[in-house]
Amino acid sequence: MKKQLALLTLATIVAMPTSAFAQSQYVQYDPTFTEQQKQEWLANQGLTEIRALKQKGFSLVEPLEHLEEKDIDADLIPITDVKRATDSAQFQQTYLDQSRIPAYWKYSRGKSDIRVAIIDDAIDTKHREFKDVIYKTTTISGIRKPDDHGTHVAGIVAAREDGQGIVGVASGVKLIGADVFDGDFAASIDIGDGILYAIEQGADVINLSLGQYEFDPYMEAAVKKAEAKNILVVGAAGNDGRNKVLFPGSMSQVVGVGSVGTLGRASTFSNYGKGVNIMAPMRSKLYAAATKKSGDTKLHYGAGRLNAGILATLPAPISKISLPATVKPNQAFTFYFDEYASAKTTTRLYKDGKVVKTFTQSNLTNGTHKFTYKLKDKGSYKLVFTTTGGRHTRTVERLLTVK
């Protein structure tokens, strides 16, 4: 797989296997096996384990010396080679206005507790654009050497706003870097392990500007682990102009992203077809904010083009709060709010820092919620709405005076 830059999509195409990895194979077995059962099964299949892989149920293997490959019963999975990019010159940020991203910046540049993982080659962490931006990085394979492609992708996401160079789409977030390339090539199992690393580091978004046409169960298992943690995984559609989306971008658990050109039409080189979810020069809010033009087909545009400006019109987790500013003692008052989140919502009324009343402390269904209450004591009160999802907390406050 040869990585190529394609505006924001930064997708990849397949190259013929040329490295030593091409001779390596792995196998998937029943993950419920004990160690003894696993070794017995491998031996019965004519295989010897080189090493267990990080995901349970997978091992790097080779045939027993006295057997030929045709005599082995197991379905061996070749480890795919990925070739890294050579083109990194496309730093013109036309995609910002095209996707209406600046329209959203007045609401947020991305919060510092949001972590975006770049599964690629090594990010140049010493670059001025990444000062105070990097959360953690690791090298999965080979010797770490910063490269243009990983650095370019990281810059598009989170280059800091410093009046120089470029500015990231979400310059306030933190980056997790997983270098999965060894020289010019990466192995599919290293990409899978990079995804596992991102999960361990608390990634909220995982970016995969790479792909292949062949299905790979090790990467699939890693992506499904990310989905189970409610992590958004973004994958490239591809740069071949083919009616086929690269794996893992073709997975239902991945937001498959194609490319549009400066005129807003699908790029001629962008892959299309089943699996394309959105077009961008980047789950539900992205699709809700996508826009289509007359003549756009789902095959070529999925849900449509990314429109970050519309994201600003979508409701926050707690929105449309209605609460009177003042009430009289012992006067019943009613407040309303809309819930728009799959998260635990705590709604409490405070006076002088002490809890007066807890209205909600659980997951609420999406929609409007209504409560009626009365207060006998005069003074200033604060109604606090807190939504908690994983390690993220968002708070909204409203004031109420009893006089």
Side-chain angles (χ1 to χ4, degrees):
M1 234 172 341
K2 182 180 179 182
K3 274 195 305 186
Q4 290 187 335
L5 297 184
L7 298 180
L8 185 58
T9 309
L10 303 165
T12 62
I13 62 174
V14 172
M16 294 298 292
T18 56
S19 80
F21 281 127
Q23 307 305 317
S24 300
Q25 297 167 315
Y26 69 93
V27 68
Q28 183 177 13
Y29 53 87
D30 189 333
T32 66
F33 281 176
T34 64
E35 182 62 24
Q36 182 179 347
Q37 287 175 315
K38 180 184 75 171
Q39 295 302 333
E40 288 176 353
W41 180 83
L42 290 170
N44 288 337
Q45 301 302 318
L47 302 172
T48 182
E49 183 180 51
I50 305 301
R51 64 180 172 92
L53 300 181
K54 289 187 176 181
Q55 298 191 83
K56 189 174 178 61
F58 295 90
S59 285
L60 189 67
V61 298
E62 65 180 23
L64 295 173
E65 291 184 4
H66 64 279
L67 294 179
E68 295 185 15
E69 194 166 315
K70 62 182 176 62
D71 297 321
I72 299 172
D73 294 332
D75 291 325
L76 299 181
I77 306 161
I79 296 174
T80 305
D81 289 341
V82 182
K83 190 173 181 181
R84 66 189 183 91
T86 56
D87 178 7
S88 62
Q90 300 180 38
F91 279 95
Q92 296 178 350
Q93 293 188 274
T94 56
Y95 54 84
L96 291 177
D97 288 331
Q98 209 170 340
S99 299
R100 308 294 188 268
I101 288 168
Y104 189 74
W105 282 345
K106 66 180 180 180
Y107 299 97
S108 176
R109 293 291 187 115
K111 296 183 180 295
S112 60
D113 65 344
I114 299 295
R115 300 169 191 167
V116 179
I118 308 298
I119 312 299
D120 212 286
D121 42 32
I123 301 169
D124 182 2
T125 57
K126 295 182 180 179
H127 196 291
R128 69 169 189 275
E129 294 286 8
F130 302 124
K131 183 180 180 182
D132 301 323
V133 172
I134 305 297
Y135 176 70
K136 277 190 179 179
T137 63
T138 193
T139 297
I140 303 294
S141 178
I143 300 173
R144 185 185 184 280
K145 182 181 179 182
D147 194 81
D148 51 8
H149 192 266
T151 300
H152 183 88
V153 176
I156 287 175
V157 173
R160 68 192 186 103
E161 186 183 9
D162 60 358
Q164 303 179 67
I166 67 170
V167 60
V169 170
S171 59
V173 304
K174 300 295 184 183
L175 292 178
I176 297 168
D179 178 10
V180 296
F181 283 82
D182 184 4
D184 286 345
F185 299 93
S188 56
I189 58 172
D190 288 338
I191 295 170
D193 286 348
I195 295 170
L196 297 182
Y197 174 78
I199 296 171
E200 292 168 358
Q201 301 308 317
D204 298 288
V205 180
I206 296 176
N207 184 80
L208 300 167
S209 290
L210 47 82
Q212 62 190 51
Y213 288 110
E214 298 85 3
F215 165 77
D216 184 86
Y218 195 75
M219 277 197 279
E220 178 197 48
V223 167
K224 287 184 175 180
K225 284 182 172 63
E227 183 195 36
K229 295 286 187 179
N230 201 30
I231 300 171
L232 181 69
V233 182
V234 180
N239 288 349
D240 293 332
R242 291 180 57 180
N243 182 5
K244 188 171 184 179
V245 177
L246 295 178
F247 179 89
S250 56
M251 290 179 62
S252 61
Q253 295 86 359
V254 177
V255 178
V257 184
S259 170
V260 294
T262 55
L263 298 180
R265 306 303 300 176
S267 303
T268 56
F269 57 77
S270 181
N271 286 16
Y272 59 95
K274 186 177 180 181
V276 170
N277 301 115
I278 199 166
M279 301 298 282
M282 181 160 182
R283 205 170 252 249
S284 61
K285 282 194 174 184
L286 284 178
Y287 302 156
T291 57
K292 279 190 174 182
K293 294 183 179 180
S294 176
D296 289 357
T297 64
K298 185 173 183 180
L299 192 68
H300 285 82
Y301 290 88
R305 303 167 180 79
L306 176 64
N307 188 334
I310 293 181
L311 281 173
T313 69
L314 298 180
I318 297 296
S319 56
K320 296 184 180 178
I321 301 170
S322 176
L323 175 73
T326 59
V327 295
K328 295 179 180 179
N330 296 311
Q331 175 190 350
F333 65 93
T334 300
F335 69 92
Y336 307 79
F337 65 91
D338 281 0
E339 165 78 10
Y340 189 79
S342 299
K344 179 180 178 181
T345 301
T346 301
T347 309
R348 286 187 172 132
L349 188 66
Y350 292 85
K351 184 176 188 292
D352 299 327
K354 296 181 180 179
V355 177
V356 175
K357 172 71 175 177
T358 298
F359 295 97
T360 68
Q361 197 174 9
S362 62
N363 282 30
L364 301 180
T365 57
N366 288 348
T368 301
H369 297 268
K370 173 184 175 181
F371 298 90
T372 299
Y373 195 61
K374 64 173 62 175
L375 293 164
K376 64 178 183 179
D377 296 329
K378 295 181 179 181
S380 298
Y381 294 79
K382 183 185 294 184
L383 188 62
V384 180
F385 304 86
T386 303
T387 51
T388 304
R391 57 184 173 77
H392 299 297
T393 300
R394 300 289 181 258
T395 301
V396 180
E397 300 179 353
R398 292 292 187 272
L399 298 179
L400 172 68
T401 302
V402 179
K403 63 178 182 179

